[in-house]
Amino acid sequence: MHAPPTDVTALPPQQSTEPAPTAARPSAGSPDRVAGPTWWMWAMASGLFLLYMLLSLRTHERLLSHAFDLAIFEQAVRSYAEGHLPLSEVKGPGFPVLGDHFSPVLAVLAPLYRLWPSARTLLVAQAGLIAVSVLPLTQWARRSLGSTAALVLGLCYGLSWGIASGVGFDFHEWAFAVPLLACSLSALGEGRPRAAACWALPLVLVKEDMGLTVAVVGLLIAWRGGRRARRLGLGVALAGVASTLLAVLVVLPAFSPSGSYFYTVYAGASGGGQGGGFAEALRTATIGLVTPETKVTTLMLVLAPTLFLAVRSPLVLVAVPLLVGRAVSNNPAHWGTGYHYSLTLMPIVFAAFVDALGRRGTTGAGLRRYLAGAAGVCALLLPVYSLAQVAYPETWRSDPRIAAAHRVMDRIPDGATVQASDGLVPHLSDRTSVSLYGWPASRPEPQWIVVDTQVPQQRRWPLSATDESIALAGARAQGYRVVAQEAGFILLGRSPNTP
């Protein structure tokens, strides 16, 4: 399903290992050989950055960001900024983040966080990382297909549903992978294997499983180049596999409180089976890749913005480890189009799209049809995903409850231990030791408890309204008293610690 058609894989490899940009493949349209991004590319990237930033910040201000994952990542970055290995109180008291996921790239944000210690810093950084990824893709598309095609493809990519899903759901380490993938695959598509390798290798610092993606990039470098590129590509592939094995088998278990890699619990039984052993593993690796049907729907939507032409480029193979990893998971959240899980797929499929259009030698009229189709799919899906929220009046409507929430939270002193409702945790993680109220792993007997009792039922997590009411009554029975109560927000504190 994920492999390119036979006629594509049979193409002979390129013989040159490092051609100049002007030696890119002949293609349709009116190629523009001018080096470097043009003013309109910078303007497009800046506009997308503003759009992403506004959506992310406004979502956060409306108390719609989450403990999982924004607060976890902020606590990790805050740890780096304070000069020690990353810890997350949300994951558990003193929980070592390097025992959860191997993402040392987060340390890059530490200097910015020292200047602006807030969850907003992470959201703005993510917006910038994703927005800048449009530059290498449009620059390659302009050289290969012409300026008009590059403009359309850049906008379709920047407004694609996968990007929107990632921007609309908190901050994630995968934001670093987006520009790295865009730069690496653009370089590979233009026949610059060394540059492709240099941009791909840092992916191993983004997350433990990204080494497998690096390995595929390495194999493509080896396949498309001459002898020197073949050695380079195989070296990159080996480095990618080795980094994943090292992270999963050594580093993560060494830091994990359980002494093992936690996310192996998601492997297998992805179709809902209850068994184990060889039969279940075989099922997961075969029919389980395409059942339930949600997985097929997601795959179709991943390829739809490219009119399925991405499958005609070998570059689409880079997406295989990411797609297979989600398909074999037994966590249904990994199968669909929500959350951030499709963010890293967008630079891959759009790079494959550019490559496929160049390989086809499409005529001017044919190229215009493909571009119009891609733009139509983008426009059709845009209202369904989060970027459309910037056009909704309710997104910008002032809610008096937000000010009330901050007045209540301001009663909590810096450095205190706190349990808070999901939407409140990211607003306390920059100055307190905060965990999630109702989460079993949260620090017991905190100094403060702050709860939003008016959260709509569809956003309640991890406690239902009934369970939350019972828990609050239990806290009062254990010695907590009401310190502040306003607009549905309740602040409880232990008597010795209240002002």
Side-chain angles (χ1 to χ4, degrees):
M1 178 178 297
H2 304 299
T6 304
D7 61 333
V8 174
T9 56
L11 289 173
Q14 298 179 6
Q15 297 302 313
S16 174
T17 61
E18 194 75 34
T22 55
R25 287 187 305 274
S27 57
S30 301
D32 184 348
R33 307 302 186 188
V34 178
T38 61
W39 67 268
W40 60 263
M41 293 183 185
W42 287 108
M44 178 167 54
S46 299
L48 290 171
F49 168 67
L50 183 62
L51 176 63
Y52 302 157
M53 182 179 65
L54 288 175
L55 174 62
S56 297
L57 293 180
R58 187 56 186 163
T59 300
H60 179 63
E61 292 303 320
R62 295 171 66 202
L63 309 181
L64 298 178
S65 52
H66 305 277
F68 287 73
D69 294 312
L70 179 56
I72 291 175
F73 284 111
E74 183 183 2
Q75 289 174 338
V77 173
R78 179 182 172 185
S79 298
Y80 282 123
E82 293 173 351
H84 57 81
L85 291 177
L87 304 175
S88 175
E89 188 78 359
V90 172
K91 294 290 292 185
F95 187 93
V97 175
L98 288 177
D100 186 49
H101 286 302
F102 183 70
S103 303
V105 71
L106 294 172
V108 172
L109 297 179
L112 287 175
Y113 192 84
R114 285 186 66 88
L115 294 174
W116 300 286
S118 168
R120 299 176 185 86
T121 299
L122 277 66
L123 296 174
V124 172
Q126 175 173 262
L129 288 166
I130 298 175
V132 78
S133 70
V134 76
L135 294 176
L137 289 173
T138 53
Q139 189 174 352
W140 173 27
R142 183 193 59 181
R143 290 171 177 167
S144 179
L145 303 168
S147 295
T148 301
L151 176 62
V152 174
L153 288 169
L155 289 173
C156 289
Y157 165 72
L159 300 175
S160 61
W161 69 265
I163 296 291
S165 295
V167 171
F169 183 65
D170 289 2
F171 168 92
H172 298 89
E173 74 279 82
W174 276 358
F176 286 94
V178 175
L180 291 173
L181 285 167
C183 289
S184 179
L185 297 182
S186 296
L188 184 57
E190 291 187 297
R192 296 183 287 121
R194 291 191 187 92
C198 289
W199 284 113
L201 285 171
L203 288 167
V204 302
L205 303 177
V206 175
K207 200 173 181 182
E208 64 274 6
D209 57 354
M210 291 303 295
L212 302 179
T213 301
V214 173
V216 178
V217 174
L219 293 175
L220 288 175
I221 291 174
W223 175 63
R224 292 168 69 101
R227 181 180 300 175
R228 292 174 59 190
R230 194 170 297 121
R231 290 196 298 267
L232 172 64
L234 292 176
V236 170
L238 288 174
V241 173
S243 69
T244 290
L245 292 176
L246 181 65
V248 171
L249 300 180
V250 179
V251 178
L252 290 165
F255 281 97
S256 174
S258 67
S260 62
Y261 180 49
F262 170 78
Y263 293 94
T264 55
V265 301
Y266 288 150
S270 62
Q274 301 298 318
F278 177 77
E280 183 56 41
L282 180 63
R283 182 189 184 284
T284 299
T286 53
I287 190 66
L289 293 176
V290 292
T291 56
E293 61 276 9
T294 304
K295 299 176 184 179
V296 177
T297 301
T298 296
L299 179 61
M300 294 299 101
L301 284 173
V302 166
L303 297 171
T306 71
L307 306 181
F308 298 91
L309 282 180
V311 299
R312 297 184 64 88
S313 166
L315 298 186
V316 79
L317 293 172
V318 179
V320 170
L322 297 169
L323 288 167
V324 171
R326 292 169 62 180
V328 301
S329 170
N330 58 22
N331 182 355
H334 295 159
W335 306 338
T337 59
Y339 305 105
H340 60 289
Y341 298 114
S342 298
L343 177 61
T344 51
L345 295 173
M346 293 299 104
I348 298 172
V349 296
F350 273 90
F353 191 25
V354 175
D355 190 52
L357 288 174
R359 283 177 174 274
R360 287 175 63 87
T362 316
T363 63
L367 179 60
R368 287 192 293 272
R369 286 195 296 270
Y370 286 127
L371 295 175
V377 172
C378 176
L380 183 66
L381 295 177
L382 187 61
V384 181
Y385 293 90
S386 60
L387 289 179
Q389 293 176 14
V390 297
Y392 298 161
E394 57 267 27
T395 300
W396 307 102
R397 189 173 295 127
S398 178
D399 185 353
R401 294 192 73 243
I402 296 175
H406 286 284
R407 284 194 295 270
V408 171
M409 288 188 288
D410 286 345
R411 302 287 298 273
I412 302 172
D414 294 352
T417 58
V418 187
Q419 284 191 20
S421 293
D422 185 38
L424 303 180
V425 172
H427 294 268
L428 292 164
S429 51
D430 60 337
R431 64 181 186 87
T432 69
S433 181
V434 63
S435 54
L436 178 62
Y437 186 63
W439 183 249
S442 292
R443 183 180 294 275
E445 300 182 354
Q447 296 168 311
W448 301 86
I449 296 173
V450 58
V451 177
D452 181 0
T453 63
Q454 294 184 8
V455 176
Q457 185 60 41
Q458 65 270 22
R459 289 198 292 111
R460 281 193 169 275
W461 182 81
L463 296 179
S464 66
T466 301
D467 291 339
E468 180 181 89
S469 178
I470 294 172
L472 288 174
R476 292 189 184 97
Q478 293 171 7
Y480 288 90
R481 68 179 182 86
V482 177
V483 176
Q485 186 168 356
E486 182 179 358
F489 298 97
I490 298 177
L491 175 63
L492 303 179
R494 288 191 177 277
S495 297
N497 299 313
T498 54

